[in-house]
């Protein structure tokens, strides 16, 4: 696949991703209003807990999807069908194992946490878990679509499935008022979505149809060598997304978790714009850096950093000015945490969104191993801060913990690793320092304006 074609695919994928996310996001917004009316804010907390527990468990894929996607993309550029089929066969084996491992950990969570503390939630959680595990048991062909540049088809299928899920779950909630029925509908729609992807993907990638392939054990071994470092980064990235819903619900209760989740509904939509950008342009950046010299790559890194920083600042500012009023109008004051929590969440949205730019460049460089311990440090620091600050700040301690870690650990180290790979001399240290100062200033402005 040449650079111009990949660039075209990147633009198309990003456009389709944003449109489909907007449609499903709006439907999720209306379904949340229905959900609150018929099941209450406590049930929202349970749903958010389920979603984020599975999100955390999804890190058990060890970063295999990223490794295999780039491996297949490289094979496609060389038109090497043997390597493409070998990677897909390896993906199929690994992902079936992953689905079983996630199921085991999910069962342990249900047995040791839900059964003693929330016995009525065990069955709904198991239904939800079955649906989510189907993403791995059936969805490994998604990697072939992504590697071929057809992220747009994946977005349409996944978001289309979510639209059906939100629609049918609203009907189920209105007719039955049952949280278990809601989880059953969610599981069934997720399962059918990935069955559909499994069935139509060979028509997009015809080379999948011939399953007779002998994998090269040496190539499999080289491919798997990157997994420890990539697993570390995946856990770190997922932890920040999964931590909020889990921490609030577990530490402060399901009602507070539900209130917090109503704000997360809006903040996650804003951040989705950046996550789609990351998945759409990482391959383009990787191609560019593989062919260009160090100076050109460093210039591209600065441009992407500036673009994502400004985009994150402007969108977070917009969210800070309008988000709480919209949430208040939609859900009511009794279903929301204090505005101080929202102000801190707005800052965390800004910092985490601005990280996407450097994540794109780091992935494009293949720089995973130089800071493989950083995510572990982030997780430990966030947990320590949470338990130290929660007696004084309550629910506000959750976004505050994320802000402090992102600002003083994550952002500087992310940029230092990439800058040291691409730059020389003083600019290797100056640019991360500039990012730190700018992020601190932007955080203060957003915090003051969102109060």
């Amino acid at each position: 696949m040449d650079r111009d074609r990949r660039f075209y695919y990147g633009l198309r994928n990003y456009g389709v991703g944003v449109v489909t996310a907007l449609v499903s996001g709006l439907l999720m917004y209306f379904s949340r209003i229905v959900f609150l009316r018929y099941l209450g804010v406590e049930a929202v907390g349970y749903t958010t807990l389920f979603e984020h527990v599975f999100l955390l468990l999804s890190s058990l894929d060890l970063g295999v999807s990223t490794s295999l996607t780039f491996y297949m993309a490289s094979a496609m550029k060389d038109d090497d069908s043997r390597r493409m089929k070998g990677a897909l066969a390896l993906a199929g084996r690994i992902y079936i194992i992953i689905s079983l491992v996630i199921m085991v950990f999910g069962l342990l969570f249900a047995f040791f946490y839900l059964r003693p503390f929330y016995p009525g939630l065990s069955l709904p959680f198991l239904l939800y878990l079955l649906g989510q595990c189907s993403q791995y048991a059936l969805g490994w062909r998604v990697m072939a679509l992504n590697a071929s540049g057809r992220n747009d088809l994946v977005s349409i299928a996944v978001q289309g499935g979510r639209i059906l899920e939100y629609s049918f779950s609203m009907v189920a909630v209105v007719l039955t008022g049952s949280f278990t029925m809601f989880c059953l509908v969610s599981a069934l729609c997720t399962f059918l979505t990935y069955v559909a992807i499994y069935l139509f993907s060979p028509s997009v990638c015809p080379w999948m149809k011939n399953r007779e392939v002998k994998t090269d054990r040496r190539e499999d071994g080289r491919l798997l060598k990157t997994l420890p470092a990539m697993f570390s980064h995946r856990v770190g990235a997922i932890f920040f997304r999964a931590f909020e819903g889990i921490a609030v619900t577990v530490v402060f209760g399901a009602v507070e978790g539900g209130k917090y989740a109503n704000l997360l509904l809006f903040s996650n939509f804003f951040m989705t714009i950046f996550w789609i950008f990351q998945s759409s342009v990482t391959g383009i950046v990787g191609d560019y850096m593989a062919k260009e010299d160090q100076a050109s790559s460093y210039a591209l890194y600065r441009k992407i950093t500036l673009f994502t920083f400004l985009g994150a600042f402007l969108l977070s500012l917009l969210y800070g000015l309008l988000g709480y009023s919209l949430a208040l109008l939609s859900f009511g004051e009794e279903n929301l945490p204090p505005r101080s929590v929202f102000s801190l969440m707005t800052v965390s949205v800004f910092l985490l969104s601005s990280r996407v730019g450097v994540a794109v460049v780091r992935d494009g460089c293949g720089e995973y191993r130089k800071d493989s311990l950083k995510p572990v440090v982030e997780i430990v620091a966030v947990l320590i801060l949470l338990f130290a600050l929660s007696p004084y700040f309550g629910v506000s301690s959750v976004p505050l913990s994320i802000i402090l870690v992102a600002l003083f650990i994550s952002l500087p180290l992310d940029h230092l690793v990439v800058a040291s790979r691409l730059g020389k001399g003083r600019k290797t240290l100056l640019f991360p320092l500039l990012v730190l100062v700018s992020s601190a200033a932007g955080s203060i402005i957003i915090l003051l304006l969102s109060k």
Side-chain angles (χ1 to χ4, degrees), residues 323-334 336:
Y324 196 80
S325 298
L326 181 58
L328 196 65
L329 181 64
S330 305
F331 305 135
E333 187 175 4
E334 70 279 6
L336 294 174

Side-chain angles (χ1 to χ4, degrees), residues 8 10 27 75 136-137 149 173-174 188 200 210 216-217 231 266 271 273 300 307 336 394 410-412 439 448:
Y8 166 73
L27 192 57
Y136 289 97
V173 167
V174 171
L188 184 60
F200 80 69
N210 183 6
D216 188 329
R217 298 296 180 186
F231 170 60
F266 292 93
M271 294 186 67
I273 296 174
L300 178 65
F307 173 77
L336 294 174
S410 303
L411 283 169
S439 299
L448 292 175

Side-chain angles (χ1 to χ4, degrees), residues 80-94:
D80 189 339
S81 61
R82 184 187 63 80
R83 288 172 59 206
M84 289 152 52
K85 293 176 184 177
L88 193 64
L90 178 63
R93 294 194 301 270
I94 290 176

Side-chain angles (χ1 to χ4, degrees), residues 48-58 106 109 125 242 246:
T48 304
L49 179 64
F50 291 177
E51 291 173 350
H52 287 88
V53 165
F54 177 79
L55 179 61
L56 197 60
L57 289 176
S58 70
F109 171 76
F125 176 75
I246 295 174

Side-chain angles (χ1 to χ4, degrees), residues 69 96 201 227 318 352 430 434:
T69 300
I96 289 175
S201 53
L227 294 187
L318 179 64
L352 296 181
L430 288 178
L434 179 62

